[in-house]
Amino acid sequence: MPIDMSVWQGRSDPEDGNKGLRWHQKVQPADNANESGIMLLGFACDEGVSRNKGRTGAYDAPIAIRRALANLAWHHEEPVYDGGNISCDDSNLELAQYRLAEDVSRALRQRHKVIVFGGGHEVAWGSFQGIGNYLVQKQHVAGNENEAQQPPRVGIINFDAHFDLRNPPGGKQSEKGSSGTPFHQAARFCEMHNWPFKYACLGLARTSNTQALYEKADRLGVLYKDDHELVHHKMEPTLTELQRFIDQCDYLYLTIDLDVFPASVAPGVSAPAARGVPLDIVEMLLEPILKARTPKGESKILVADLAEYNPRFDIDNQTARLAARLAWTIARAIR
């Protein structure tokens, strides 16, 4: 499928030479990828939000985020590629997630870091499947080379007002999910492969998560913090807990649901937050995540995604600019 690069438009300052460039002048189509870099993928999907009884509109988010990112100043070193969109146009969410997983896994095999623009938070099951498939294949190759087999420790770090640990409507083992089930599905994947399930959820609104979800999180050993706990005077112990979590992981999957921010900062989301977590607090928590490195000196983050941006309810592109700023920050850190 051809990749539409027409969205990458913005201001040009030729008088400033190469130091005056912006993203729209540097992003290349994935077809041109001849060295490792950062792969941008879009997941245009509303089906998971619809199944979860939320307000739809996130289908249009990947293009809107690209537009906001296009005009930001270029301060990066690695090449950035646009791999196009996976679109869910026929209500077949499971197929769309499978296709996203295939694209994520392929990009990882090509030694790219991946940033995905959702879509509802059902994007997370596609992203995690892609990581899982990549690491399963990597384990298989290592096994053929008679290397010691240790289950990979993949740390999911989710900034979100919701756990998204719901059981699927058809029961715990059902394959039919929604935007509320991706981390239940990730836990099932880990259980089936005998991997540890390592999940941290930061910014929860207790008013939006039932007692059953908190009890399930406790059973699964989830590290979680409610929104009212993420304040400046409590940052030191929180950062210590987060660093301990990071240190216990071989790889990281970072996912940011934009409804973690206050509605005044992120009005364009599927479920606006009455309280939320301020941007400066989120940035403080992102710092150790983005700095995390493997023993080889590479970023522990394999994939990052942004979810639940809903252009239909945005005000003056405010939420799009927030999403673009986060993508810019992540891309600069994981090189």
Side-chain angles (χ1 to χ4, degrees):
M1 182 175 64
I3 298 165
D4 181 10
M5 297 297 290
S6 64
V7 70
W8 295 102
Q9 298 181 28
R11 172 174 170 163
S12 297
D13 299 305
E15 65 276 11
D16 293 329
N18 287 335
K19 293 188 177 180
L21 297 177
R22 298 171 187 271
W23 271 62
H24 69 92
Q25 296 165 299
K26 294 293 290 183
V27 175
Q28 306 172 58
D31 299 341
N32 294 352
N34 52 20
E35 60 179 308
S36 62
I38 293 169
M39 183 65 69
L40 305 179
L41 300 172
F43 187 68
C45 183
D46 262 333
E47 179 63 20
V49 173
S50 178
R51 292 183 187 182
N52 202 33
K53 304 172 186 176
R55 57 181 191 172
T56 58
Y59 181 97
D60 297 318
I63 293 296
I65 296 172
R66 285 182 177 93
R67 286 200 182 102
L69 188 56
N71 210 38
L72 297 190
W74 182 262
H75 287 272
H76 301 66
E77 295 177 8
E78 279 192 322
V80 176
Y81 306 105
D82 189 341
N85 285 350
I86 297 296
S87 299
C88 182
D89 297 318
D90 56 3
S91 300
N92 192 340
L93 173 59
E94 290 68 33
L95 177 59
Q97 290 169 320
Y98 171 81
R99 292 171 60 207
L100 175 61
E102 288 288 292
D103 281 2
V104 168
S105 182
R106 183 182 305 110
L108 292 174
R109 289 196 303 270
Q110 294 169 348
R111 299 193 59 77
H112 300 301
K113 299 293 185 177
V114 183
I115 300 177
V116 185
F117 301 144
H121 217 164
E122 63 269 24
V123 66
W125 175 225
S127 293
F128 188 83
Q129 274 189 90
I131 295 170
N133 294 343
Y134 163 70
L135 292 176
V136 165
Q137 185 181 51
K138 192 174 180 182
Q139 272 190 313
H140 180 70
V141 172
N144 289 342
E145 295 173 355
N146 296 317
E147 293 183 8
Q149 289 291 293
Q150 293 291 336
R153 301 173 299 172
V154 183
I156 302 168
I157 302 179
N158 178 27
F159 288 87
D160 200 338
H162 309 91
F163 276 118
D164 289 344
L165 273 171
R166 293 180 184 277
N167 295 327
K172 293 182 180 181
Q173 297 185 18
S174 171
E175 299 299 323
K176 195 174 179 68
S178 72
S179 63
T181 66
F183 305 114
H184 165 86
Q185 292 167 292
R188 285 272 300 146
F189 182 99
C190 291
E191 180 183 6
M192 291 170 63
H193 289 84
N194 294 313
W195 293 2
F197 178 60
K198 303 188 72 62
Y199 178 34
C201 190
L202 307 174
L204 292 159
R206 192 162 284 255
T207 52
S208 301
N209 294 270
T210 63
Q211 293 181 51
L213 288 169
Y214 276 94
E215 290 176 3
K216 182 173 181 177
D218 288 335
R219 288 196 306 273
L220 291 170
V222 177
L223 168 64
Y224 59 83
K225 295 290 179 181
D226 288 351
D227 50 14
H228 64 85
E229 297 178 277
L230 298 181
V231 291
H232 284 281
H233 69 275
K234 295 183 179 179
M235 272 296 97
E236 187 173 344
T238 297
L239 286 167
T240 299
E241 287 183 78
L242 178 59
Q243 188 63 59
R244 188 180 305 121
F245 178 90
I246 292 168
D247 291 343
Q248 293 171 354
C249 299
D250 304 311
Y251 308 99
L252 296 176
Y253 161 42
L254 171 64
T255 179
I256 302 176
D257 187 324
L258 294 168
D259 70 18
V260 75
F261 296 99
S264 59
V265 175
V269 295
S270 297
R275 187 188 193 283
V277 182
L279 176 58
D280 63 330
I281 295 289
V282 171
E283 288 178 330
M284 287 176 66
L285 293 166
L286 279 173
E287 189 171 343
I289 301 166
L290 299 178
K291 284 183 176 179
R293 291 293 182 268
T294 68
K296 293 182 179 180
E298 300 173 346
S299 175
K300 282 191 176 183
I301 297 174
L302 294 178
V303 177
D305 59 37
L306 300 168
E308 301 281 353
Y309 171 47
N310 191 329
R312 188 176 298 169
F313 298 100
D314 207 1
I315 299 171
D316 195 26
N317 295 319
Q318 184 175 332
T319 317
R321 287 198 296 270
L322 172 62
R325 172 66 182 249
L326 291 166
W328 185 98
T329 300
I330 294 166
R332 192 161 184 236
I334 62 176
R335 62 176 184 263

Short mmCIF file of all heavy atoms in Angstrom, two decimals, residues 135-145 149:
data_model
loop_
_atom_site.label_atom_id
_atom_site.label_comp_id
_atom_site.label_asym_id
_atom_site.label_seq_id
_atom_site.Cartn_x
_atom_site.Cartn_y
_atom_site.Cartn_z
N LEU A 135 10.07 -10.88 19.92
CA LEU A 135 10.91 -11.50 20.94
C LEU A 135 10.79 -13.03 20.91
O LEU A 135 11.77 -13.72 21.20
CB LEU A 135 10.55 -10.95 22.32
CG LEU A 135 10.91 -9.47 22.54
CD1 LEU A 135 10.42 -9.00 23.89
CD2 LEU A 135 12.42 -9.25 22.41
N VAL A 136 9.61 -13.55 20.57
CA VAL A 136 9.47 -15.00 20.41
C VAL A 136 10.40 -15.49 19.30
O VAL A 136 11.10 -16.50 19.45
CB VAL A 136 8.00 -15.38 20.11
CG1 VAL A 136 7.91 -16.81 19.60
CG2 VAL A 136 7.14 -15.21 21.36
N GLN A 137 10.40 -14.77 18.19
CA GLN A 137 11.29 -15.15 17.09
C GLN A 137 12.76 -15.02 17.49
O GLN A 137 13.57 -15.89 17.18
CB GLN A 137 11.02 -14.27 15.87
CG GLN A 137 11.82 -14.68 14.64
CD GLN A 137 11.56 -13.79 13.45
OE1 GLN A 137 11.64 -12.56 13.56
NE2 GLN A 137 11.24 -14.39 12.31
N LYS A 138 13.05 -13.99 18.24
CA LYS A 138 14.43 -13.80 18.71
C LYS A 138 14.83 -14.93 19.65
O LYS A 138 15.96 -15.45 19.57
CB LYS A 138 14.53 -12.44 19.43
CG LYS A 138 15.94 -11.97 19.71
CD LYS A 138 15.91 -10.55 20.29
CE LYS A 138 17.33 -10.08 20.58
NZ LYS A 138 17.33 -8.73 21.18
N GLN A 139 13.92 -15.35 20.54
CA GLN A 139 14.18 -16.49 21.42
C GLN A 139 14.43 -17.76 20.62
O GLN A 139 15.31 -18.55 20.95
CB GLN A 139 12.97 -16.72 22.35
CG GLN A 139 12.99 -15.95 23.65
CD GLN A 139 11.89 -16.44 24.56
OE1 GLN A 139 10.74 -16.62 24.15
NE2 GLN A 139 12.21 -16.69 25.81
N HIS A 140 13.63 -17.95 19.57
CA HIS A 140 13.77 -19.15 18.74
C HIS A 140 15.14 -19.20 18.09
O HIS A 140 15.81 -20.24 18.08
CB HIS A 140 12.67 -19.17 17.68
CG HIS A 140 12.72 -20.36 16.77
ND1 HIS A 140 12.42 -21.63 17.20
CD2 HIS A 140 13.06 -20.47 15.45
CE1 HIS A 140 12.56 -22.47 16.19
NE2 HIS A 140 12.94 -21.80 15.12
N VAL A 141 15.59 -18.06 17.57
CA VAL A 141 16.92 -18.00 16.94
C VAL A 141 18.00 -18.28 17.98
O VAL A 141 18.94 -19.04 17.74
CB VAL A 141 17.14 -16.62 16.28
CG1 VAL A 141 18.58 -16.47 15.82
CG2 VAL A 141 16.19 -16.44 15.10
N ALA A 142 17.84 -17.67 19.16
CA ALA A 142 18.83 -17.90 20.23
C ALA A 142 18.85 -19.37 20.63
O ALA A 142 19.92 -19.94 20.89
CB ALA A 142 18.51 -17.02 21.44
N GLY A 143 17.67 -20.01 20.66
CA GLY A 143 17.60 -21.42 21.00
C GLY A 143 18.32 -22.29 19.99
O GLY A 143 19.01 -23.25 20.35
N ASN A 144 18.21 -21.91 18.71
CA ASN A 144 18.91 -22.66 17.67
C ASN A 144 20.42 -22.51 17.78
O ASN A 144 21.18 -23.34 17.29
CB ASN A 144 18.45 -22.18 16.29
CG ASN A 144 17.04 -22.63 15.98
OD1 ASN A 144 16.52 -23.54 16.63
ND2 ASN A 144 16.41 -22.00 15.00
N GLU A 145 20.87 -21.43 18.42
CA GLU A 145 22.30 -21.19 18.60
C GLU A 145 22.77 -21.69 19.96
O GLU A 145 23.86 -21.37 20.42
CB GLU A 145 22.60 -19.70 18.45
CG GLU A 145 22.32 -19.18 17.03
CD GLU A 145 22.45 -17.66 16.94
OE1 GLU A 145 22.68 -17.02 17.99
OE2 GLU A 145 22.34 -17.14 15.82
N GLN A 149 18.25 -19.90 27.58
CA GLN A 149 16.94 -19.31 27.38
C GLN A 149 16.41 -18.71 28.68
O GLN A 149 16.23 -19.42 29.67
CB GLN A 149 15.98 -20.39 26.88
CG GLN A 149 16.25 -20.83 25.44
CD GLN A 149 15.94 -19.74 24.44
OE1 GLN A 149 14.79 -19.37 24.26
NE2 GLN A 149 16.96 -19.20 23.82
#
